[in-house]
Amino acid sequence: MKKILTILMALTLALSLSVPAYAESDYDTPIEITWMIPTQQSISLGESVPTQILLEKFNIQVNWIELNPVDQHPEKLNLLLASQQLPDVVSWVDKDFAARYGDEGAFLEITPYLASNFPNLSVVVNEESSAYYSAYTLDDQLWYIPIWERTSGPNWGWSINKEAFEEVGYPVESLNTFADYKAALEALKAAYPDSYPLAARASEYDISNFLSSFIIPFTKGMANYSVMGFDYEQKTWSVAANISGYKEALMYINELYTEGLLDPEFLTCDMNTLILMLANDQAFATVDYVGGLSGVGDVQSQVNDVLYPIEWPSPSVDEESIMGTKAIALGSTGTVLSANIMDDPEKFERVCAMLDYMYSDEWYDILYNNSDILTDDGTTYVEGYYVDSDNLRDLYIPWALYACFQDDPLRVDVEPGTAWSDFSIKWGNEWTDRLVDNIIMPFDTDTQTEINDLTNSVQDYWSANVMQFVIGRTDFSEWDTFVEGLMNAGGTQLEQIYNDFYQELYGD
Amino acid sequence: MLKKHRNKNLGRAKLLYIMLLFPVVWYILICYVPMFGIAIAFQKYSVYKGVFGSEWVGLQNFRKFLNDAYFWQVLRNTFLLGFFNLLINFPLPIILALMFNELSSGPYKRVTQTISYLPYFVSTVALVSIITSILSPSRGVVNAIIESLGGTPISFMLEPDWFRPIYILLSAWRGTGWGTIIYLAAMAGINPELYQVAEIDGAGRFRRIWNITLPSIAPTITILFLLAIPGILGADFETVLLLQKPLTLNVSDVMATYVYRRGLQDQKFDYATAVSLTFSIISMLIIFVSNTIARRKGDVSLW
């Protein structure tokens, strides 16, 4: 008897050890789905710990279609739409795309099922009511399951060689305004005459991102790289180049360029060249994508760990002004369900339950508070997040699962106490009094198409002419002619459309 | 009798016709059947609804780009780039082939020819990277020479005036060696006795080239020229896209990059198809006219 009991207990123990902690499935019958999701993983998404927990909980087997989010994903999605063989679930779709093809019958409208099948998401939508139109269409239709960005901040910012700046008498604390930065760059140029203190790699990223890092603070958040900007004082929309501070931003960059403070080859510079310049004291600062996964944080070790990310707020016109707009908490992209999923009610119910679960606090803990990688002070430390051991990061915090549902990038930190960690923690979390609300303009499909056509024309003209001012080929005395050209290219019609719509939706 | 004769020929050539069947079927399936997609140019196309389900809008897409002031600039850029490219890069392989033909057979000739072919096999991305490095104002060899001669470095890649020369230079570097192959093959077919007789008559090297070699390969030159002419409106997309910079957009934005941007990036497939169709029709007209002129002026034409 004792022997039998011992064997039974041993078997029970062995069985319990073989089953992961959360793996008690709520469902007996497995189902199979196809899920198209953007990933930048070094291992298959299915091998990640949170993924396994999720799929075991709901007893779902997934045929993954994993694609690079930048080019492969949209191309493949178009092919699948054309072939009418959509996967059951497609993540990383923007609202306009979802609404357009949802209207045509490709995707399932979520609105009728929100309360019944998505209780967690319903709570989120209610909490983020100010972002209603970022997820809903003007006709109050919800065509996708929107991303919930719990925290957010600027993706682009200044990174400097802290030691070099201190060497010339400009410690980090002294760098607040653009005037401070220029003075520091001038001091660096004097100390290192063969250098170009500020470098950038505009050949790899659209020049718009580089310019936005100046335009946004100079216009006090009224404009960025987009064609249109919103004057929150006048409550009017106008072509961005017309907004106060836009020209001044370009003039500032022009000064840096003509005085030899900005690398004259920044328009053709790539990451490898940038790394060499930063590592060899040929440059001491850059304005770049600060995040991991192809940002300067990723290449820290390659520049001999000299880079120090400037915390938010980065340089501004003065120390009090508005720095930009708050991120929209809901719906920059989302997940759609194929309309065909309704052919299998059980599959539909299960998938909804799974996707809704990903907005719960329990899922948040699984993703962001995994005890295997939690530090003593409660932060998530993924060793070598930026540089080494991609596998470890992808194993515990797969980008696709947090970037497509409950997105809290501030939880995904590097080693606590490092400059990058400090940056991540403060990234958009503090100084929110220097941000204004984003104005959401939920145009209908036809209006959006008209806007896109006009924007393309204006954008073409802008792209061909704006850099002429920056490098001094066109004098700023011809700025009005440039703005007139933008208006003639479609800016006038755009202003009309935007202001009419704004008045109709938000007017007194 | 005639039918019997024809059937006999058919029987003899049965295997040849079977061999011909596969490329013909391939052409029909890959090149001709998809042509029905031209209908997209006349639709408000939806990827989901497809060609048979999308709404017909007639010439709306054509009207859109004909009324777009920027389109005419793109057309001008395309034509100028293609014209100058043809003007400079068409004769170069002929000249190089003539030079190779004058070399006596041996390892030097073989090595030189092989080296001339090599750039053709290098990827466009690598070639553009190389030329960017060579022309770099601070790190490039060209500007180093300019500086050593007392000049000011030039940002070649950012100057609109330099875009076309760089594109033509890159095309020449890449395609000249490869282009000599067909001409050398044509020259190999020239009767060597002609050269011997000319030499006896006292003709020098250049006289022999002018009076024997060139006339002998004239049909080849004509055919290749007729095939090259439509390329005036078809710049090499990859090269242009890689060389293109915001500062050179006024000059470098050609039809291929315009269609790529508006069609693929902005997902305006209907608009892009309308633009491409228009350019294809223009190219077809050009080749028809050229062929007619060639047929009337000489014995050589494509058809």
Side-chain angles (χ1 to χ4, degrees):
Chain A
M1 187 62 181
K2 259 192 192 174
K3 207 175 177 180
I4 294 169
L5 274 172
T6 311
I7 292 169
L8 273 173
M9 280 174 66
L11 273 173
T12 310
L13 185 65
L15 210 61
S16 67
L17 284 173
S18 71
V19 175
Y22 293 87
E24 287 180 20
S25 179
D26 302 333
Y27 303 89
D28 297 323
T29 323
I31 63 162
E32 197 173 316
I33 66 168
T34 313
W35 191 347
M36 182 170 158
I37 193 163
T39 63
Q40 303 177 82
Q41 301 262 117
S42 54
I43 58 173
S44 169
L45 183 58
E47 294 173 31
S48 301
V49 167
T51 314
Q52 289 182 24
I53 292 170
L54 181 73
L55 298 182
E56 279 166 12
K57 179 177 173 63
F58 291 93
N59 206 354
I60 295 178
Q61 292 163 12
V62 178
N63 297 316
W64 295 104
I65 302 175
E66 296 182 57
L67 296 158
N68 174 290
V70 176
D71 41 30
Q72 294 173 350
H73 187 276
E75 191 181 319
K76 178 77 174 182
L77 185 54
N78 278 324
L79 285 171
L80 290 170
L81 271 171
S83 68
Q84 304 212 345
Q85 291 178 351
L86 282 167
D88 297 304
V89 183
V90 181
S91 292
W92 204 254
V93 173
D94 70 48
K95 188 186 90 173
D96 293 330
F97 190 94
R100 179 183 170 186
Y101 291 108
D103 260 340
E104 293 180 7
F107 306 130
L108 182 73
E109 186 185 344
I110 305 297
T111 333
Y113 310 104
L114 184 66
S116 54
N117 294 80
F118 295 92
N120 290 310
L121 178 60
S122 296
V123 169
V124 169
V125 168
N126 288 333
E127 270 179 19
E128 305 288 356
S129 56
S130 63
Y132 180 85
Y133 279 124
S134 68
Y136 280 79
T137 66
L138 197 59
D139 300 329
D140 300 315
Q141 290 174 310
L142 185 66
W143 285 101
Y144 66 172
I145 298 138
I147 285 178
W148 179 27
E149 292 183 73
R150 296 183 70 145
T151 55
S152 186
N155 289 323
W156 280 70
W158 287 68
S159 297
I160 65 168
N161 182 330
K162 191 177 169 191
E163 282 179 14
F165 272 70
E166 284 173 355
E167 188 185 303
V168 296
Y170 286 90
V172 170
E173 316 71 81
S174 70
L175 299 170
N176 296 300
T177 65
F178 282 109
D180 297 333
Y181 270 83
K182 186 155 180 256
L185 295 175
E186 285 166 348
L188 284 162
K189 184 73 177 181
Y192 299 90
D194 292 334
S195 74
Y196 293 103
L198 178 64
R201 51 166 175 149
S203 75
E204 291 184 344
Y205 280 112
D206 190 333
I207 192 64
S208 308
N209 282 309
F210 173 78
L211 294 177
S212 282
S213 301
F214 298 88
I215 291 170
I216 295 173
F218 265 92
T219 60
K220 299 177 184 173
M222 296 188 195
N224 53 27
Y225 59 82
S226 301
V227 165
M228 299 298 289
F230 182 71
D231 186 331
Y232 46 79
E233 289 168 359
Q234 303 292 328
K235 299 272 190 283
T236 54
W237 286 88
S238 63
V239 167
N242 250 337
I243 288 179
S244 170
Y246 195 99
K247 178 181 165 188
E248 285 73 18
L250 300 185
M251 289 173 83
Y252 179 84
I253 306 172
N254 170 252
E255 282 174 20
L256 298 182
Y257 183 87
T258 52
E259 291 175 27
L261 304 175
L262 170 62
D263 176 24
E265 295 187 64
F266 77 102
L267 287 172
T268 55
C269 184
D270 57 21
M271 180 57 112
N272 291 331
T273 310
L274 181 64
I275 289 170
L276 282 171
M277 291 181 75
L278 290 166
N280 297 321
D281 288 347
Q282 291 172 333
F284 303 95
T286 187
V287 177
D288 205 298
Y289 173 50
V290 293
L293 302 175
S294 80
V296 287
D298 259 355
V299 298
Q300 251 290 66
S301 67
Q302 294 178 63
V303 296
N304 305 324
D305 290 319
V306 298
L307 284 179
Y308 180 90
I310 296 298
E311 295 158 4
W312 180 260
S314 46
S316 56
V317 179
D318 55 57
E319 294 184 41
E320 303 291 325
S321 59
I322 295 293
M323 285 293 295
T325 51
K326 293 175 189 167
I328 299 174
L330 208 60
S332 54
T333 63
T335 297
V336 292
L337 301 179
S338 164
N340 294 335
I341 204 171
M342 293 306 288
D343 295 341
D344 186 341
E346 190 190 349
K347 183 191 278 190
F348 169 69
E349 296 287 338
R350 190 90 61 92
V351 166
C352 289
M354 179 186 67
L355 295 177
D356 184 63
Y357 176 73
M358 295 169 83
Y359 292 87
S360 66
D361 291 337
E362 191 177 301
W363 174 251
Y364 184 92
D365 283 337
I366 291 169
L367 199 55
Y368 293 109
N369 293 326
N370 189 313
S371 56
D372 289 347
I373 53 169
L374 213 56
T375 61
D376 292 336
D377 59 358
T379 56
T380 307
Y381 169 46
V382 179
E383 184 175 341
Y385 176 78
Y386 275 122
V387 183
D388 306 315
S389 186
D390 287 347
N391 284 359
L392 193 64
R393 178 191 65 212
D394 295 338
L395 188 63
Y396 285 104
I397 312 183
W399 174 82
L401 289 191
Y402 77 74
C404 292
F405 297 95
Q406 240 185 119
D407 189 8
D408 191 355
L410 296 188
R411 289 295 301 149
V412 188
D413 295 333
V414 286
E415 187 173 355
T418 63
W420 291 97
S421 174
D422 294 339
F423 177 84
S424 301
I425 290 165
K426 290 178 182 173
W427 196 35
N429 224 11
E430 299 184 11
W431 298 294
T432 52
D433 58 334
R434 296 185 68 180
L435 297 174
V436 290
D437 287 325
N438 224 311
I439 304 295
I440 303 165
M441 301 282 276
F443 298 108
D444 59 77
T445 308
D446 288 336
T447 309
Q448 189 64 59
T449 304
E450 188 186 353
I451 286 172
N452 290 345
D453 287 341
L454 290 167
T455 302
N456 284 336
S457 295
V458 177
Q459 190 74 43
D460 285 340
Y461 182 86
W462 180 89
S463 297
N465 290 285
V466 75
M467 291 311 296
Q468 312 281 353
F469 291 100
V470 171
I471 65 167
R473 202 170 282 159
T474 306
D475 191 75
F476 279 94
S477 59
E478 296 185 48
W479 181 258
D480 290 340
T481 310
F482 166 66
V483 173
E484 195 182 328
L486 288 172
M487 301 305 282
N488 291 338
T492 309
Q493 294 100 303
L494 280 171
E495 285 189 356
Q496 187 73 49
I497 293 171
Y498 268 75
N499 284 309
D500 286 349
F501 188 88
Y502 179 81
Q503 285 304 316
E504 203 178 312
L505 196 61
Y506 298 111
D508 299 327
Chain B
M1 181 75 172
L2 193 65
K3 195 176 174 185
K4 199 175 172 186
H5 184 69
R6 203 184 316 141
N7 286 342
K8 198 176 171 186
N9 281 339
L10 206 65
R12 257 192 250 146
K14 190 166 55 179
L15 274 173
L16 291 172
Y17 279 115
I18 290 171
M19 274 176 63
L20 189 61
L21 185 67
F22 294 105
V24 167
V25 167
W26 184 90
Y27 260 102
I28 292 170
L29 284 176
I30 303 297
C31 299
Y32 284 90
V33 166
M35 274 190 194
F36 84 95
I38 289 171
I40 292 172
F42 303 93
Q43 294 178 320
K44 186 179 173 185
Y45 180 69
S46 162
V47 169
Y48 183 68
K49 288 180 181 172
V51 175
F52 298 108
S54 295
E55 180 193 341
W56 289 88
V57 294
L59 298 175
Q60 184 181 322
N61 293 317
F62 295 89
R63 273 196 290 272
K64 211 186 275 185
F65 75 76
L66 289 173
N67 290 330
D68 182 359
Y70 190 74
F71 168 77
W72 295 102
Q73 182 179 312
V74 166
L75 179 61
R76 176 178 163 272
N77 291 342
T78 308
F79 178 77
L80 285 175
L81 192 65
F83 176 76
F84 286 117
N85 192 41
L86 185 69
L87 187 71
I88 293 167
N89 284 330
F90 186 79
L92 285 179
I94 301 170
I95 296 168
L96 188 62
L98 290 170
M99 290 163 73
F100 281 144
N101 195 51
E102 293 304 311
L103 292 174
S104 50
S105 279
Y108 176 74
K109 181 177 179 179
R110 284 197 296 275
V111 167
T112 320
Q113 273 184 252
T114 305
I115 290 171
S116 74
Y117 301 155
L118 286 178
Y120 186 79
F121 299 103
V122 179
S123 79
T124 310
V125 173
L127 279 178
V128 170
S129 294
I130 292 168
I131 209 155
T132 304
S133 296
I134 291 172
L135 298 176
S136 164
S138 58
R139 295 174 277 273
V141 65
V142 172
N143 275 304
I145 294 169
I146 291 171
E147 272 188 296
S148 68
L149 295 172
T152 316
I154 303 171
S155 293
F156 290 100
M157 302 300 286
L158 303 180
E159 295 279 347
D161 292 339
W162 280 101
F163 176 80
R164 287 192 193 110
I166 291 170
Y167 175 84
I168 291 166
L169 177 73
L170 201 60
S171 300
W173 181 18
R174 192 170 188 201
T176 302
W178 185 257
T180 61
I181 293 175
I182 291 181
Y183 295 112
L184 286 170
M187 288 173 199
I190 300 172
N191 189 345
E193 287 179 5
L194 290 172
Y195 291 106
Q196 289 164 5
V197 168
E199 207 172 335
I200 291 167
D201 285 347
R205 188 189 295 274
F206 289 105
R207 180 60 66 181
R208 291 200 299 271
I209 290 172
W210 187 257
N211 286 105
I212 299 172
T213 314
L214 281 174
S216 300
I217 64 171
T220 307
I221 294 174
T222 307
I223 296 290
L224 289 177
F225 184 72
L226 288 173
L227 291 172
I229 279 187
I232 283 179
L233 292 179
D236 176 14
F237 164 73
E238 213 176 9
T239 309
V240 173
L241 191 69
L242 290 167
L243 288 174
Q244 202 174 67
K245 297 286 177 280
L247 284 167
T248 62
L249 217 53
N250 278 334
V251 170
S252 63
D253 204 12
V254 296
M255 190 274 291
T257 51
Y258 180 76
V259 166
Y260 169 70
R261 214 169 53 248
R262 295 290 181 90
L264 290 181
Q265 288 190 329
D266 295 346
Q267 303 206 5
K268 293 259 190 308
F269 302 113
D270 39 25
Y271 182 79
T273 308
V275 174
S276 297
L277 179 61
T278 306
F279 274 81
S280 297
I281 291 171
I282 297 172
S283 297
M284 203 167 67
L285 286 171
I286 291 174
I287 202 169
F288 263 103
V289 168
S290 308
N291 191 65
T292 305
I293 294 171
R295 198 171 56 233
R296 285 186 185 168
K297 294 287 181 192
D299 296 328
V300 181
S301 60
L302 285 172
W303 65 85

